[in-house]
Amino acid sequence: MIGAANAKSPRDERILSAALLLLLAVVWLEPAGSGLAEPDETRYAEIPREMLAAGDLLVPRLNGVPYFEKPPLLYWLNAASLRSFGQTPWAARLPTRCASLGTTLLVILAAARRMGRRGGLSAGILFLASPMGFLFSRANLTDGLLTFFFTATVLAGNAAVRGREAGHHWKLAAAAAGAGAAGAFLSKGLIGLVLPGLILLLWCLATGRFVHFIPTFLFSSALPVFLGLSVPWFLLVESRHPGFLQFFFVQEHFQRFATTAAKRPGPIFYFVPVFLLGFLPGLPFFFSAVKRFRGARREDEDLLFLLLWFAVVFVFFSLSRSKLPPYLFPAIPAAAALSARGIPVPEGGSRRLWSIQAILATALVLGILAHPGLRASMAKLHLGTILIPTLAGLLAGSWIAAVLARRGTALALAAVAAGWASLLAGVALGWPKLPQAKFTAELAAAAQSAAVPRGAPIVAYRDYVNGISWELKSPIPVAAYRGELEPEFEEHSAVREALFWSDETFWASWGSRPLVALVRTKDLSTFARAVPAARIVRQAEGHAIVANFSD
């Protein structure tokens, strides 16, 4: 029996490796026309584009003025990608995809430490097969980069504490934890330092290792590495823009999470449906692993570590007054590693969990097909030829997994991976057909075609769309609007005046010279009554391009 199991292991590893590569291929799938989504993807592409255009990689800029809501690491990486591969959506998403590849490898290594290579590959599959793992591994957002460094920090920190306890091989791990924390901090701020630190602290307390916590992280290479990598940028920016540190740490951290200033509230259970839908393929195995946990016994310390990792992220953002689905992403690597622990063993074990995952997949498919809005969109955008086969692939893979479970978990998990790869490929292939993928390009092209012959400026009225600047490769004036733009940090008054118009300045220009404006659809009635009356050049997604001259 032992010989048969050993002979089977290489075959299973090959099957799981093939399934993992299939999911990676889907993550990297980028059909023509896959435009950047507004507002976040376009913002994190436009900022590095403007940094390159200004020849200034120290100060991030959005629409021509400094932008300090986020640290610079994603901007730097995106700037390098845009410079190397051109100013395209694919280049803007490349650093996030590379970070996702790194996170997947870390998840595999973390799970393999306890469960061997098969367990590691299983965790990697569950990470990439989950809708959250897929979407935030390919979108141009700070969350993908944060999750990579977050994962590296907690895993290196765990290894450093264990190594110090054993008396060997801990200093390099401590330095790696400091470097990871610096990367997380430069990706999204204090949460990249505080949350990994809290996870490691709670784990040390729960396993009787608190005596090692302070010397491992405060009296070792971890602290100077962190400070050396993360602090210089903040000091340099503060020297050029006094008040930056107060804005960044007080307004963009404490006020954002402790108050409703960011206008992203949600109930305390906000992340429950986000997790249930975002990690649906792994849910049965996740809850199976949680059920196995029986307190913080010494033999369960790896499971405890993963549970704390997941719980700290989940609880922190549930209590936060600012909530968005990507905030939960740093918890998904822990959920994937936990779920790998919950896959039924030994071979030929119970099919119950595999049947539950098939039922959940079926419920999702039926929900998509029954939703009136989704059905109308599928018909209007002619998405049926893409989504119907991919939904069928999800059903087939999920139920085949339930059938194959008694023959081996590797075959069953590979079937699950194939089923979800089918659905996720449908999402990637369908994205170019959605209005969100192309409306900024269409509006920018319409504005440019109207403005160029008359030499008219293009002005955004009471709104700003990042993607217009991205498409035009230039900032545009905004009138009677500030939003998240930060003109107070622009030291040159001439730049502020050129880019930020008052309402009076806009209407004086409208009546005296050719002008093209980006407006919200709800403001069109105002422009219909204007003198001269506005001509609508193009409408899309709640916005319109209008001109004050005839065609």
Side-chain angles (χ1 to χ4, degrees), residues 20-51:
L20 184 68
L21 289 173
L22 174 64
L23 288 165
L24 282 170
V26 175
V27 168
W28 285 75
L29 179 62
E30 182 99 346
S34 296
L36 298 170
E38 184 71 31
D40 294 323
E41 280 202 303
T42 51
R43 180 191 307 119
Y44 297 131
E46 174 59 12
I47 291 171
R49 189 205 67 76
E50 292 193 28
M51 293 173 81

Side-chain angles (χ1 to χ4, degrees), residues 448-474:
Q448 197 166 36
S449 65
V452 169
R454 294 291 190 102
I458 300 170
V459 183
Y461 180 75
R462 291 191 176 180
D463 198 9
Y464 174 69
V465 177
N466 306 293
I468 300 297
S469 293
W470 164 255
E471 296 292 343
L472 296 176
K473 307 305 179 192
S474 174

